[in-house]
Amino acid sequence: YIDDIYLARTVGTVGSMFDLSRVEVLKGPQGVLYGRNTTGGAIKLITTKADASDKVSGFITAGAGNFGAEKFGGAINLPLIEDVLAVRLSYLSDEITDGYGEITVTPLGGGAISGLYPGSILDFATHKEKVGQKDSELARIGISFTPIEDLSIDFLYDKSDLDVNALLFNPFNAPAVGYTAPANPRTDTIVNARQEASSESELASLTVNYAINDSISSKFVWGWRDLKSSFVSDVDGTALPLNYFLEPFVQNAEQTSIEWTLYGVAMDEKLNWMAGIYAFEEEGTDFSNSNGAASLPGGVFGGTTNGTIDKNESD
């Protein structure tokens, strides 16, 4: 969860760990009206809210490390109307440009089938590529509005982009025939495609808290998220055509949710009660095109999956 918004897919949430007020790890079950009936527990990321009662304040963080690591970020709290309205801006850039290793990418057939799948991971010649690189960016705006003492309104929008690649480690001590082991398999390897992933996500939320009286309160939460992600890997981790992606595995998903609750106390505070409604809806696409070696038991496996989520609902 990010600020009480249930995330149907956790892809693209790495940058969301920046400028948090706290992280809550809750045991389940959390009750029938907690998100999507969170029976197994929850991990909640609570962002730092804009504070209209504070002065102009903020922080800047920066760092550098080996393998070309560079990080820069910061946040600023801007009170616009004292005790009523404030805005908080946050930004983070986190990069590793050099990476910690290098791989030899050998297309299937040594490049002989280059052009068979135009634009796919097979459509290039044997070459070297770096691994262990990262390019992550997060931008966030939070608005807090308290027009009266018993009413608070919080709005959040953040945009996150991530590109990362990694080394595929072949665990076989006795490689199969035709596989040439690299000199140092922990920093170098020979594969058909570099393992890499990317994501673009946008999230918006609106939370309204209202104390109706001393014993009854109301909370309304609206959330929206749009996610685009891509992943590719040479699954077997060798230069042999055993199991591989022909094209990147792509997932796109858009979700919307609302949650409204009434809660309070009764019987001289001997009874705590809650009632409300929750609705979640998601739509998106799921595309995968993979293959495997005909020499393996069962012959060629894999294939193309092109699915569409017209509507995934939870009430």
Side-chain angles (χ1 to χ4, degrees), residues 33-34 208-210 212 217-221 259-263 273-278:
L33 290 174
Y34 191 90
V208 181
N209 285 281
Y210 179 55
I212 299 174
S217 297
S218 174
K219 183 177 183 179
F220 174 83
V221 181
E259 184 171 0
W260 175 69
T261 57
L262 278 174
Y263 57 95
W273 61 270
M274 174 181 287
I277 59 173
Y278 177 85

mmCIF file with all atom_site columns, all heavy atoms in Angstrom, residues 33-34 208-210 212 217-221 259-263 273-278:
data_model
loop_
_atom_site.group_PDB
_atom_site.id
_atom_site.type_symbol
_atom_site.label_atom_id
_atom_site.label_alt_id
_atom_site.label_comp_id
_atom_site.label_asym_id
_atom_site.label_entity_id
_atom_site.label_seq_id
_atom_site.pdbx_PDB_ins_code
_atom_site.Cartn_x
_atom_site.Cartn_y
_atom_site.Cartn_z
_atom_site.occupancy
_atom_site.B_iso_or_equiv
_atom_site.pdbx_formal_charge
_atom_site.auth_seq_id
_atom_site.auth_comp_id
_atom_site.auth_asym_id
_atom_site.auth_atom_id
_atom_site.pdbx_PDB_model_num
ATOM 1   N N   . LEU A 1 33  ? -12.804 -4.222 5.791  1.00 0.00 ? 33  LEU A N   1
ATOM 2   C CA  . LEU A 1 33  ? -12.829 -2.993 5.002  1.00 0.00 ? 33  LEU A CA  1
ATOM 3   C C   . LEU A 1 33  ? -11.435 -2.410 4.807  1.00 0.00 ? 33  LEU A C   1
ATOM 4   O O   . LEU A 1 33  ? -11.299 -1.254 4.426  1.00 0.00 ? 33  LEU A O   1
ATOM 5   C CB  . LEU A 1 33  ? -13.740 -1.953 5.679  1.00 0.00 ? 33  LEU A CB  1
ATOM 6   C CG  . LEU A 1 33  ? -15.229 -2.288 5.620  1.00 0.00 ? 33  LEU A CG  1
ATOM 7   C CD1 . LEU A 1 33  ? -16.020 -1.294 6.433  1.00 0.00 ? 33  LEU A CD1 1
ATOM 8   C CD2 . LEU A 1 33  ? -15.712 -2.311 4.190  1.00 0.00 ? 33  LEU A CD2 1
ATOM 9   N N   . TYR A 1 34  ? -10.412 -3.225 5.022  1.00 0.00 ? 34  TYR A N   1
ATOM 10  C CA  . TYR A 1 34  ? -9.056  -2.709 4.871  1.00 0.00 ? 34  TYR A CA  1
ATOM 11  C C   . TYR A 1 34  ? -8.565  -3.053 3.474  1.00 0.00 ? 34  TYR A C   1
ATOM 12  O O   . TYR A 1 34  ? -8.145  -4.176 3.201  1.00 0.00 ? 34  TYR A O   1
ATOM 13  C CB  . TYR A 1 34  ? -8.140  -3.331 5.924  1.00 0.00 ? 34  TYR A CB  1
ATOM 14  C CG  . TYR A 1 34  ? -6.788  -2.658 6.020  1.00 0.00 ? 34  TYR A CG  1
ATOM 15  C CD1 . TYR A 1 34  ? -6.600  -1.583 6.886  1.00 0.00 ? 34  TYR A CD1 1
ATOM 16  C CD2 . TYR A 1 34  ? -5.728  -3.071 5.244  1.00 0.00 ? 34  TYR A CD2 1
ATOM 17  C CE1 . TYR A 1 34  ? -5.382  -0.959 6.975  1.00 0.00 ? 34  TYR A CE1 1
ATOM 18  C CE2 . TYR A 1 34  ? -4.503  -2.449 5.330  1.00 0.00 ? 34  TYR A CE2 1
ATOM 19  C CZ  . TYR A 1 34  ? -4.326  -1.403 6.196  1.00 0.00 ? 34  TYR A CZ  1
ATOM 20  O OH  . TYR A 1 34  ? -3.119  -0.778 6.282  1.00 0.00 ? 34  TYR A OH  1
ATOM 21  N N   . VAL A 1 208 ? -9.787  11.940 2.386  1.00 0.00 ? 208 VAL A N   1
ATOM 22  C CA  . VAL A 1 208 ? -10.573 12.929 3.118  1.00 0.00 ? 208 VAL A CA  1
ATOM 23  C C   . VAL A 1 208 ? -10.958 12.338 4.470  1.00 0.00 ? 208 VAL A C   1
ATOM 24  O O   . VAL A 1 208 ? -11.605 11.280 4.535  1.00 0.00 ? 208 VAL A O   1
ATOM 25  C CB  . VAL A 1 208 ? -11.840 13.331 2.340  1.00 0.00 ? 208 VAL A CB  1
ATOM 26  C CG1 . VAL A 1 208 ? -12.634 14.379 3.124  1.00 0.00 ? 208 VAL A CG1 1
ATOM 27  C CG2 . VAL A 1 208 ? -11.484 13.850 0.954  1.00 0.00 ? 208 VAL A CG2 1
ATOM 28  N N   . ASN A 1 209 ? -10.546 12.986 5.541  1.00 0.00 ? 209 ASN A N   1
ATOM 29  C CA  . ASN A 1 209 ? -10.915 12.591 6.897  1.00 0.00 ? 209 ASN A CA  1
ATOM 30  C C   . ASN A 1 209 ? -11.819 13.660 7.509  1.00 0.00 ? 209 ASN A C   1
ATOM 31  O O   . ASN A 1 209 ? -11.497 14.854 7.449  1.00 0.00 ? 209 ASN A O   1
ATOM 32  C CB  . ASN A 1 209 ? -9.668  12.422 7.770  1.00 0.00 ? 209 ASN A CB  1
ATOM 33  C CG  . ASN A 1 209 ? -8.905  11.152 7.460  1.00 0.00 ? 209 ASN A CG  1
ATOM 34  O OD1 . ASN A 1 209 ? -9.273  10.064 7.884  1.00 0.00 ? 209 ASN A OD1 1
ATOM 35  N ND2 . ASN A 1 209 ? -7.811  11.291 6.684  1.00 0.00 ? 209 ASN A ND2 1
ATOM 36  N N   . TYR A 1 210 ? -12.942 13.215 8.103  1.00 0.00 ? 210 TYR A N   1
ATOM 37  C CA  . TYR A 1 210 ? -13.887 14.170 8.693  1.00 0.00 ? 210 TYR A CA  1
ATOM 38  C C   . TYR A 1 210 ? -14.419 13.613 10.005 1.00 0.00 ? 210 TYR A C   1
ATOM 39  O O   . TYR A 1 210 ? -14.954 12.501 10.061 1.00 0.00 ? 210 TYR A O   1
ATOM 40  C CB  . TYR A 1 210 ? -15.033 14.445 7.736  1.00 0.00 ? 210 TYR A CB  1
ATOM 41  C CG  . TYR A 1 210 ? -16.067 15.411 8.274  1.00 0.00 ? 210 TYR A CG  1
ATOM 42  C CD1 . TYR A 1 210 ? -15.694 16.679 8.718  1.00 0.00 ? 210 TYR A CD1 1
ATOM 43  C CD2 . TYR A 1 210 ? -17.408 15.059 8.339  1.00 0.00 ? 210 TYR A CD2 1
ATOM 44  C CE1 . TYR A 1 210 ? -16.630 17.573 9.218  1.00 0.00 ? 210 TYR A CE1 1
ATOM 45  C CE2 . TYR A 1 210 ? -18.356 15.942 8.833  1.00 0.00 ? 210 TYR A CE2 1
ATOM 46  C CZ  . TYR A 1 210 ? -17.960 17.202 9.275  1.00 0.00 ? 210 TYR A CZ  1
ATOM 47  O OH  . TYR A 1 210 ? -18.891 18.075 9.772  1.00 0.00 ? 210 TYR A OH  1
ATOM 48  N N   . ILE A 1 212 ? -17.205 13.695 12.335 1.00 0.00 ? 212 ILE A N   1
ATOM 49  C CA  . ILE A 1 212 ? -18.595 14.129 12.336 1.00 0.00 ? 212 ILE A CA  1
ATOM 50  C C   . ILE A 1 212 ? -18.989 14.661 13.712 1.00 0.00 ? 212 ILE A C   1
ATOM 51  O O   . ILE A 1 212 ? -19.627 15.702 13.837 1.00 0.00 ? 212 ILE A O   1
ATOM 52  C CB  . ILE A 1 212 ? -19.506 12.968 11.902 1.00 0.00 ? 212 ILE A CB  1
ATOM 53  C CG1 . ILE A 1 212 ? -19.126 12.527 10.477 1.00 0.00 ? 212 ILE A CG1 1
ATOM 54  C CG2 . ILE A 1 212 ? -20.976 13.370 11.962 1.00 0.00 ? 212 ILE A CG2 1
ATOM 55  C CD1 . ILE A 1 212 ? -19.852 11.296 9.999  1.00 0.00 ? 212 ILE A CD1 1
ATOM 56  N N   . SER A 1 217 ? -16.573 9.198  13.046 1.00 0.00 ? 217 SER A N   1
ATOM 57  C CA  . SER A 1 217 ? -15.692 9.809  12.047 1.00 0.00 ? 217 SER A CA  1
ATOM 58  C C   . SER A 1 217 ? -15.872 9.100  10.710 1.00 0.00 ? 217 SER A C   1
ATOM 59  O O   . SER A 1 217 ? -16.350 7.965  10.640 1.00 0.00 ? 217 SER A O   1
ATOM 60  C CB  . SER A 1 217 ? -14.226 9.719  12.484 1.00 0.00 ? 217 SER A CB  1
ATOM 61  O OG  . SER A 1 217 ? -13.988 10.442 13.665 1.00 0.00 ? 217 SER A OG  1
ATOM 62  N N   . SER A 1 218 ? -15.457 9.789  9.653  1.00 0.00 ? 218 SER A N   1
ATOM 63  C CA  . SER A 1 218 ? -15.587 9.257  8.305  1.00 0.00 ? 218 SER A CA  1
ATOM 64  C C   . SER A 1 218 ? -14.258 9.412  7.562  1.00 0.00 ? 218 SER A C   1
ATOM 65  O O   . SER A 1 218 ? -13.535 10.395 7.763  1.00 0.00 ? 218 SER A O   1
ATOM 66  C CB  . SER A 1 218 ? -16.703 9.984  7.545  1.00 0.00 ? 218 SER A CB  1
ATOM 67  O OG  . SER A 1 218 ? -16.737 9.573  6.193  1.00 0.00 ? 218 SER A OG  1
ATOM 68  N N   . LYS A 1 219 ? -13.955 8.422  6.705  1.00 0.00 ? 219 LYS A N   1
ATOM 69  C CA  . LYS A 1 219 ? -12.744 8.481  5.898  1.00 0.00 ? 219 LYS A CA  1
ATOM 70  C C   . LYS A 1 219 ? -13.056 8.018  4.484  1.00 0.00 ? 219 LYS A C   1
ATOM 71  O O   . LYS A 1 219 ? -13.658 6.948  4.291  1.00 0.00 ? 219 LYS A O   1
ATOM 72  C CB  . LYS A 1 219 ? -11.644 7.606  6.495  1.00 0.00 ? 219 LYS A CB  1
ATOM 73  C CG  . LYS A 1 219 ? -10.319 7.667  5.740  1.00 0.00 ? 219 LYS A CG  1
ATOM 74  C CD  . LYS A 1 219 ? -9.256  6.828  6.440  1.00 0.00 ? 219 LYS A CD  1
ATOM 75  C CE  . LYS A 1 219 ? -7.912  6.938  5.737  1.00 0.00 ? 219 LYS A CE  1
ATOM 76  N NZ  . LYS A 1 219 ? -6.857  6.135  6.428  1.00 0.00 ? 219 LYS A NZ  1
ATOM 77  N N   . PHE A 1 220 ? -12.627 8.809  3.496  1.00 0.00 ? 220 PHE A N   1
ATOM 78  C CA  . PHE A 1 220 ? -12.820 8.472  2.081  1.00 0.00 ? 220 PHE A CA  1
ATOM 79  C C   . PHE A 1 220 ? -11.453 8.439  1.407  1.00 0.00 ? 220 PHE A C   1
ATOM 80  O O   . PHE A 1 220 ? -10.655 9.367  1.559  1.00 0.00 ? 220 PHE A O   1
ATOM 81  C CB  . PHE A 1 220 ? -13.726 9.496  1.395  1.00 0.00 ? 220 PHE A CB  1
ATOM 82  C CG  . PHE A 1 220 ? -13.848 9.295  -0.089 1.00 0.00 ? 220 PHE A CG  1
ATOM 83  C CD1 . PHE A 1 220 ? -14.757 8.367  -0.597 1.00 0.00 ? 220 PHE A CD1 1
ATOM 84  C CD2 . PHE A 1 220 ? -13.055 10.006 -0.961 1.00 0.00 ? 220 PHE A CD2 1
ATOM 85  C CE1 . PHE A 1 220 ? -14.861 8.160  -1.963 1.00 0.00 ? 220 PHE A CE1 1
ATOM 86  C CE2 . PHE A 1 220 ? -13.154 9.816  -2.340 1.00 0.00 ? 220 PHE A CE2 1
ATOM 87  C CZ  . PHE A 1 220 ? -14.061 8.895  -2.849 1.00 0.00 ? 220 PHE A CZ  1
ATOM 88  N N   . VAL A 1 221 ? -11.181 7.363  0.649  1.00 0.00 ? 221 VAL A N   1
ATOM 89  C CA  . VAL A 1 221 ? -9.898  7.211  -0.044 1.00 0.00 ? 221 VAL A CA  1
ATOM 90  C C   . VAL A 1 221 ? -10.164 6.858  -1.505 1.00 0.00 ? 221 VAL A C   1
ATOM 91  O O   . VAL A 1 221 ? -10.826 5.853  -1.803 1.00 0.00 ? 221 VAL A O   1
ATOM 92  C CB  . VAL A 1 221 ? -9.024  6.112  0.593  1.00 0.00 ? 221 VAL A CB  1
ATOM 93  C CG1 . VAL A 1 221 ? -7.686  6.014  -0.145 1.00 0.00 ? 221 VAL A CG1 1
ATOM 94  C CG2 . VAL A 1 221 ? -8.786  6.389  2.069  1.00 0.00 ? 221 VAL A CG2 1
ATOM 95  N N   . GLU A 1 259 ? -12.593 3.796  -1.320 1.00 0.00 ? 259 GLU A N   1
ATOM 96  C CA  . GLU A 1 259 ? -12.878 3.192  -0.025 1.00 0.00 ? 259 GLU A CA  1
ATOM 97  C C   . GLU A 1 259 ? -13.492 4.261  0.877  1.00 0.00 ? 259 GLU A C   1
ATOM 98  O O   . GLU A 1 259 ? -12.935 5.346  1.024  1.00 0.00 ? 259 GLU A O   1
ATOM 99  C CB  . GLU A 1 259 ? -11.589 2.646  0.588  1.00 0.00 ? 259 GLU A CB  1
ATOM 100 C CG  . GLU A 1 259 ? -11.796 1.909  1.899  1.00 0.00 ? 259 GLU A CG  1
ATOM 101 C CD  . GLU A 1 259 ? -10.531 1.199  2.368  1.00 0.00 ? 259 GLU A CD  1
ATOM 102 O OE1 . GLU A 1 259 ? -9.504  1.295  1.667  1.00 0.00 ? 259 GLU A OE1 1
ATOM 103 O OE2 . GLU A 1 259 ? -10.579 0.563  3.439  1.00 0.00 ? 259 GLU A OE2 1
ATOM 104 N N   . TRP A 1 260 ? -14.656 3.933  1.431  1.00 0.00 ? 260 TRP A N   1
ATOM 105 C CA  . TRP A 1 260 ? -15.335 4.879  2.319  1.00 0.00 ? 260 TRP A CA  1
ATOM 106 C C   . TRP A 1 260 ? -15.738 4.138  3.588  1.00 0.00 ? 260 TRP A C   1
ATOM 107 O O   . TRP A 1 260 ? -16.356 3.071  3.534  1.00 0.00 ? 260 TRP A O   1
ATOM 108 C CB  . TRP A 1 260 ? -16.561 5.475  1.652  1.00 0.00 ? 260 TRP A CB  1
ATOM 109 C CG  . TRP A 1 260 ? -17.356 6.366  2.571  1.00 0.00 ? 260 TRP A CG  1
ATOM 110 C CD1 . TRP A 1 260 ? -16.992 7.581  3.065  1.00 0.00 ? 260 TRP A CD1 1
ATOM 111 C CD2 . TRP A 1 260 ? -18.650 6.083  3.109  1.00 0.00 ? 260 TRP A CD2 1
ATOM 112 N NE1 . TRP A 1 260 ? -17.974 8.075  3.882  1.00 0.00 ? 260 TRP A NE1 1
ATOM 113 C CE2 . TRP A 1 260 ? -19.007 7.176  3.934  1.00 0.00 ? 260 TRP A CE2 1
ATOM 114 C CE3 . TRP A 1 260 ? -19.539 5.016  2.986  1.00 0.00 ? 260 TRP A CE3 1
ATOM 115 C CZ2 . TRP A 1 260 ? -20.207 7.232  4.614  1.00 0.00 ? 260 TRP A CZ2 1
ATOM 116 C CZ3 . TRP A 1 260 ? -20.744 5.067  3.675  1.00 0.00 ? 260 TRP A CZ3 1
ATOM 117 C CH2 . TRP A 1 260 ? -21.072 6.166  4.475  1.00 0.00 ? 260 TRP A CH2 1
ATOM 118 N N   . THR A 1 261 ? -15.393 4.697  4.730  1.00 0.00 ? 261 THR A N   1
ATOM 119 C CA  . THR A 1 261 ? -15.705 4.048  5.993  1.00 0.00 ? 261 THR A CA  1
ATOM 120 C C   . THR A 1 261 ? -16.287 5.044  6.989  1.00 0.00 ? 261 THR A C   1
ATOM 121 O O   . THR A 1 261 ? -15.932 6.218  7.003  1.00 0.00 ? 261 THR A O   1
ATOM 122 C CB  . THR A 1 261 ? -14.445 3.410  6.632  1.00 0.00 ? 261 THR A CB  1
ATOM 123 O OG1 . THR A 1 261 ? -13.445 4.411  6.809  1.00 0.00 ? 261 THR A OG1 1
ATOM 124 C CG2 . THR A 1 261 ? -13.906 2.297  5.772  1.00 0.00 ? 261 THR A CG2 1
ATOM 125 N N   . LEU A 1 262 ? -17.165 4.529  7.809  1.00 0.00 ? 262 LEU A N   1
ATOM 126 C CA  . LEU A 1 262 ? -17.659 5.204  9.002  1.00 0.00 ? 262 LEU A CA  1
ATOM 127 C C   . LEU A 1 262 ? -17.179 4.385  10.194 1.00 0.00 ? 262 LEU A C   1
ATOM 128 O O   . LEU A 1 262 ? -17.293 3.163  10.199 1.00 0.00 ? 262 LEU A O   1
ATOM 129 C CB  . LEU A 1 262 ? -19.188 5.276  9.012  1.00 0.00 ? 262 LEU A CB  1
ATOM 130 C CG  . LEU A 1 262 ? -19.870 6.383  8.205  1.00 0.00 ? 262 LEU A CG  1
ATOM 131 C CD1 . LEU A 1 262 ? -21.367 6.174  8.230  1.00 0.00 ? 262 LEU A CD1 1
ATOM 132 C CD2 . LEU A 1 262 ? -19.505 7.757  8.750  1.00 0.00 ? 262 LEU A CD2 1
ATOM 133 N N   . TYR A 1 263 ? -16.633 5.055  11.188 1.00 0.00 ? 263 TYR A N   1
ATOM 134 C CA  . TYR A 1 263 ? -16.146 4.317  12.345 1.00 0.00 ? 263 TYR A CA  1
ATOM 135 C C   . TYR A 1 263 ? -16.310 5.188  13.591 1.00 0.00 ? 263 TYR A C   1
ATOM 136 O O   . TYR A 1 263 ? -16.402 6.415  13.515 1.00 0.00 ? 263 TYR A O   1
ATOM 137 C CB  . TYR A 1 263 ? -14.679 3.911  12.164 1.00 0.00 ? 263 TYR A CB  1
ATOM 138 C CG  . TYR A 1 263 ? -13.734 5.053  11.901 1.00 0.00 ? 263 TYR A CG  1
ATOM 139 C CD1 . TYR A 1 263 ? -13.022 5.658  12.947 1.00 0.00 ? 263 TYR A CD1 1
ATOM 140 C CD2 . TYR A 1 263 ? -13.544 5.543  10.613 1.00 0.00 ? 263 TYR A CD2 1
ATOM 141 C CE1 . TYR A 1 263 ? -12.170 6.706  12.713 1.00 0.00 ? 263 TYR A CE1 1
ATOM 142 C CE2 . TYR A 1 263 ? -12.683 6.599  10.369 1.00 0.00 ? 263 TYR A CE2 1
ATOM 143 C CZ  . TYR A 1 263 ? -11.996 7.173  11.415 1.00 0.00 ? 263 TYR A CZ  1
ATOM 144 O OH  . TYR A 1 263 ? -11.146 8.223  11.178 1.00 0.00 ? 263 TYR A OH  1
ATOM 145 N N   . TRP A 1 273 ? -16.657 0.287  16.464 1.00 0.00 ? 273 TRP A N   1
ATOM 146 C CA  . TRP A 1 273 ? -17.381 -0.241 15.319 1.00 0.00 ? 273 TRP A CA  1
ATOM 147 C C   . TRP A 1 273 ? -16.915 0.418  14.019 1.00 0.00 ? 273 TRP A C   1
ATOM 148 O O   . TRP A 1 273 ? -16.326 1.494  14.022 1.00 0.00 ? 273 TRP A O   1
ATOM 149 C CB  . TRP A 1 273 ? -18.890 -0.035 15.500 1.00 0.00 ? 273 TRP A CB  1
ATOM 150 C CG  . TRP A 1 273 ? -19.298 1.418  15.626 1.00 0.00 ? 273 TRP A CG  1
ATOM 151 C CD1 . TRP A 1 273 ? -19.400 2.152  16.758 1.00 0.00 ? 273 TRP A CD1 1
ATOM 152 C CD2 . TRP A 1 273 ? -19.627 2.309  14.544 1.00 0.00 ? 273 TRP A CD2 1
ATOM 153 N NE1 . TRP A 1 273 ? -19.766 3.439  16.485 1.00 0.00 ? 273 TRP A NE1 1
ATOM 154 C CE2 . TRP A 1 273 ? -19.919 3.558  15.119 1.00 0.00 ? 273 TRP A CE2 1
ATOM 155 C CE3 . TRP A 1 273 ? -19.702 2.172  13.168 1.00 0.00 ? 273 TRP A CE3 1
ATOM 156 C CZ2 . TRP A 1 273 ? -20.284 4.662  14.354 1.00 0.00 ? 273 TRP A CZ2 1
ATOM 157 C CZ3 . TRP A 1 273 ? -20.063 3.276  12.394 1.00 0.00 ? 273 TRP A CZ3 1
ATOM 158 C CH2 . TRP A 1 273 ? -20.353 4.501  12.993 1.00 0.00 ? 273 TRP A CH2 1
ATOM 159 N N   . MET A 1 274 ? -17.156 -0.269 12.898 1.00 0.00 ? 274 MET A N   1
ATOM 160 C CA  . MET A 1 274 ? -16.773 0.249  11.585 1.00 0.00 ? 274 MET A CA  1
ATOM 161 C C   . MET A 1 274 ? -17.714 -0.320 10.535 1.00 0.00 ? 274 MET A C   1
ATOM 162 O O   . MET A 1 274 ? -18.130 -1.482 10.608 1.00 0.00 ? 274 MET A O   1
ATOM 163 C CB  . MET A 1 274 ? -15.333 -0.141 11.249 1.00 0.00 ? 274 MET A CB  1
ATOM 164 C CG  . MET A 1 274 ? -14.897 0.248  9.830  1.00 0.00 ? 274 MET A CG  1
ATOM 165 S SD  . MET A 1 274 ? -13.201 -0.254 9.438  1.00 0.00 ? 274 MET A SD  1
ATOM 166 C CE  . MET A 1 274 ? -12.298 0.923  10.431 1.00 0.00 ? 274 MET A CE  1
ATOM 167 N N   . ALA A 1 275 ? -18.038 0.497  9.546  1.00 0.00 ? 275 ALA A N   1
ATOM 168 C CA  . ALA A 1 275 ? -18.860 0.062  8.411  1.00 0.00 ? 275 ALA A CA  1
ATOM 169 C C   . ALA A 1 275 ? -18.432 0.857  7.196  1.00 0.00 ? 275 ALA A C   1
ATOM 170 O O   . ALA A 1 275 ? -17.889 1.961  7.310  1.00 0.00 ? 275 ALA A O   1
ATOM 171 C CB  . ALA A 1 275 ? -20.348 0.275  8.708  1.00 0.00 ? 275 ALA A CB  1
ATOM 172 N N   . GLY A 1 276 ? -18.653 0.311  6.004  1.00 0.00 ? 276 GLY A N   1
ATOM 173 C CA  . GLY A 1 276 ? -18.272 1.058  4.812  1.00 0.00 ? 276 GLY A CA  1
ATOM 174 C C   . GLY A 1 276 ? -18.327 0.233  3.559  1.00 0.00 ? 276 GLY A C   1
ATOM 175 O O   . GLY A 1 276 ? -18.880 -0.879 3.532  1.00 0.00 ? 276 GLY A O   1
ATOM 176 N N   . ILE A 1 277 ? -17.759 0.767  2.479  1.00 0.00 ? 277 ILE A N   1
ATOM 177 C CA  . ILE A 1 277 ? -17.751 0.101  1.174  1.00 0.00 ? 277 ILE A CA  1
ATOM 178 C C   . ILE A 1 277 ? -16.357 0.213  0.575  1.00 0.00 ? 277 ILE A C   1
ATOM 179 O O   . ILE A 1 277 ? -15.579 1.118  0.904  1.00 0.00 ? 277 ILE A O   1
ATOM 180 C CB  . ILE A 1 277 ? -18.794 0.711  0.214  1.00 0.00 ? 277 ILE A CB  1
ATOM 181 C CG1 . ILE A 1 277 ? -18.493 2.210  0.003  1.00 0.00 ? 277 ILE A CG1 1
ATOM 182 C CG2 . ILE A 1 277 ? -20.206 0.491  0.718  1.00 0.00 ? 277 ILE A CG2 1
ATOM 183 C CD1 . ILE A 1 277 ? -19.370 2.847  -1.063 1.00 0.00 ? 277 ILE A CD1 1
ATOM 184 N N   . TYR A 1 278 ? -16.039 -0.740 -0.313 1.00 0.00 ? 278 TYR A N   1
ATOM 185 C CA  . TYR A 1 278 ? -14.774 -0.714 -1.045 1.00 0.00 ? 278 TYR A CA  1
ATOM 186 C C   . TYR A 1 278 ? -15.031 -1.216 -2.459 1.00 0.00 ? 278 TYR A C   1
ATOM 187 O O   . TYR A 1 278 ? -15.783 -2.182 -2.654 1.00 0.00 ? 278 TYR A O   1
ATOM 188 C CB  . TYR A 1 278 ? -13.729 -1.602 -0.371 1.00 0.00 ? 278 TYR A CB  1
ATOM 189 C CG  . TYR A 1 278 ? -12.417 -1.660 -1.130 1.00 0.00 ? 278 TYR A CG  1
ATOM 190 C CD1 . TYR A 1 278 ? -11.455 -0.674 -0.932 1.00 0.00 ? 278 TYR A CD1 1
ATOM 191 C CD2 . TYR A 1 278 ? -12.152 -2.668 -2.042 1.00 0.00 ? 278 TYR A CD2 1
ATOM 192 C CE1 . TYR A 1 278 ? -10.264 -0.698 -1.634 1.00 0.00 ? 278 TYR A CE1 1
ATOM 193 C CE2 . TYR A 1 278 ? -10.965 -2.697 -2.741 1.00 0.00 ? 278 TYR A CE2 1
ATOM 194 C CZ  . TYR A 1 278 ? -10.025 -1.717 -2.536 1.00 0.00 ? 278 TYR A CZ  1
ATOM 195 O OH  . TYR A 1 278 ? -8.842  -1.743 -3.239 1.00 0.00 ? 278 TYR A OH  1
#
